[in-house]
């Protein structure tokens, strides 16, 4: 009934931009913070990635409704979800594959995989050649403490420490300290890593528990990655459009 009601009140202009079953997360819960990094230069490739025509979180409708339920629970604790990636076009995955094989690796790129070459990212399971994100049922996200100072902004000219460094030295993300930055391809980014502090462990557990209560499953090599079993289906390759009111 909730999903049917949502479809009824969505404007034709918004619904027409996406395939059936997909929604803009902002249309379900505008309070969820979004920082869609692949639509910017603040990511492991250092540039916007193919298919990200807008910095919008697009998901399957059921996924969006469950994220809203998670957000409502977190809000009572003065916390918020922050989305880094949602639906990922197939062309973006192909762009990542080509990038990993281009034979070049800058210092900025190495911040995300400090202990091995980017050519090994797929072999080691940090990036998939067929991504669940392309079904609209997988997500990358973190938590924001709404009572904290989250004003730090990414400066592309600054030489930040790698993603495993203490939070004050690595690139700012305006979120709680999970022990690594987002997209950190390193053992420290594994959800159950033993090398993080008790406080960082508590934040990871808070996110895990809140997502699990709505049926989301975490990927063990990435504390930030969750999927909703049964909500996916086929992979898509439509570009992410701008949301229209």
């Amino acid at each position: 009934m909730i999903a049917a009601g949502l479809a009824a009140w969505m404007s034709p202009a918004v619904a027409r931009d996406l395939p059936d079953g997909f929604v803009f997360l902002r249309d379900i819960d505008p309070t969820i913070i979004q920082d869609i990094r692949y639509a910017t230069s603040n990511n492991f490739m250092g540039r916007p990635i193919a298919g990200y025509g807008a910095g919008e979180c697009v998901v399957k409708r059921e996924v969006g409704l469950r994220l809203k339920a998670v957000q409502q629970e977190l809000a009572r604790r003065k916390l918020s979800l922050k989305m880094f990636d949602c639906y990922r076009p197939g062309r973006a995955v192909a762009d990542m594959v080509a990038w990993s094989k281009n034979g070049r690796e800058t210092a900025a790129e190495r911040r995300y995989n400090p202990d091995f070459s980017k050519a090994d990212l797929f072999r080691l399971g940090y990036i998939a050649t067929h991504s669940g994100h392309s079904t609209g049922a997988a997500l990358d996200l973190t938590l924001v403490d709404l009572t904290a100072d989250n004003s730090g902004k990414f400066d592309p000219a600054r030489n930040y420490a790698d993603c495993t460094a203490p939070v004050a030295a690595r690139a700012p993300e305006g979120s709680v300290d999970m022990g690594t930055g987002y997209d950190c391809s390193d053992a420290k980014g594994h959800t159950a890593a033993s090398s993080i502090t008790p406080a960082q462990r508590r934040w990871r557990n808070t996110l895990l528990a809140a997502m699990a209560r709505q049926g989301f499953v975490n990927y063990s090599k990435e504390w930030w990655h969750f999927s909703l079993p049964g909500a996916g289906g086929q992979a898509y390759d439509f570009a992410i459009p701008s949301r229209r009111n």
Side-chain angles (χ1 to χ4, degrees), residues 36-39 43-45 47-54 85-100 122 127-131 133-134 182-183 235-240:
I36 307 302
R37 298 271 290 272
Y38 298 161
N43 59 59
F44 65 90
M45 289 174 62
R47 60 169 173 79
I49 297 177
Y52 285 82
D85 193 32
C86 301
Y87 159 73
R88 181 182 304 168
R91 70 195 70 180
V93 179
D95 197 11
M96 292 176 183
V97 173
W99 165 85
S100 74
F122 288 87
I127 306 177
T129 54
H130 300 282
S131 176
H133 282 275
S134 299
Y182 167 56
D183 261 350
Y236 286 78
D237 187 31
F238 63 89
I240 298 172

Side-chain angles (χ1 to χ4, degrees), residues 8-141:
W9 63 253
M10 283 180 65
S11 72
V14 171
R16 191 168 55 238
D17 286 335
L18 301 174
D20 288 345
F22 283 85
V23 295
F24 290 100
L25 182 60
R26 290 189 203 277
D27 290 328
I28 293 181
D29 192 335
T31 73
I32 297 176
I33 300 167
Q34 297 190 29
D35 180 13
I36 307 302
R37 298 271 290 272
Y38 298 161
T40 74
S41 61
N42 182 15
N43 59 59
F44 65 90
M45 289 174 62
R47 60 169 173 79
I49 297 177
Y52 285 82
E56 289 287 347
C57 175
V58 171
V59 291
K60 287 290 183 67
R61 183 175 288 111
E62 180 184 1
V63 173
L65 291 170
R66 295 197 187 211
L67 287 172
K68 180 181 179 70
V70 175
Q71 181 77 345
Q72 289 173 334
E73 175 192 339
L74 292 172
R76 294 192 289 269
R77 304 169 63 179
K78 299 189 183 304
L79 300 173
S80 173
L81 293 175
K82 183 174 188 176
M83 313 305 298
F84 287 131
D85 193 32
C86 301
Y87 159 73
R88 181 182 304 168
R91 70 195 70 180
V93 179
D95 197 11
M96 292 176 183
V97 173
W99 165 85
S100 74
K101 298 177 179 178
N102 68 14
R104 301 185 301 274
E105 195 153 21
T106 67
E109 291 173 349
R110 287 305 298 269
R111 291 204 310 263
Y112 293 87
N113 52 293
D115 288 339
F116 54 84
S117 168
K118 70 181 186 181
D120 293 323
L121 286 169
F122 288 87
R123 179 180 62 81
L124 295 174
Y126 290 106
I127 306 177
T129 54
H130 300 282
S131 176
H133 282 275
S134 299
T135 72
L139 312 154
D140 294 341
L141 70 164

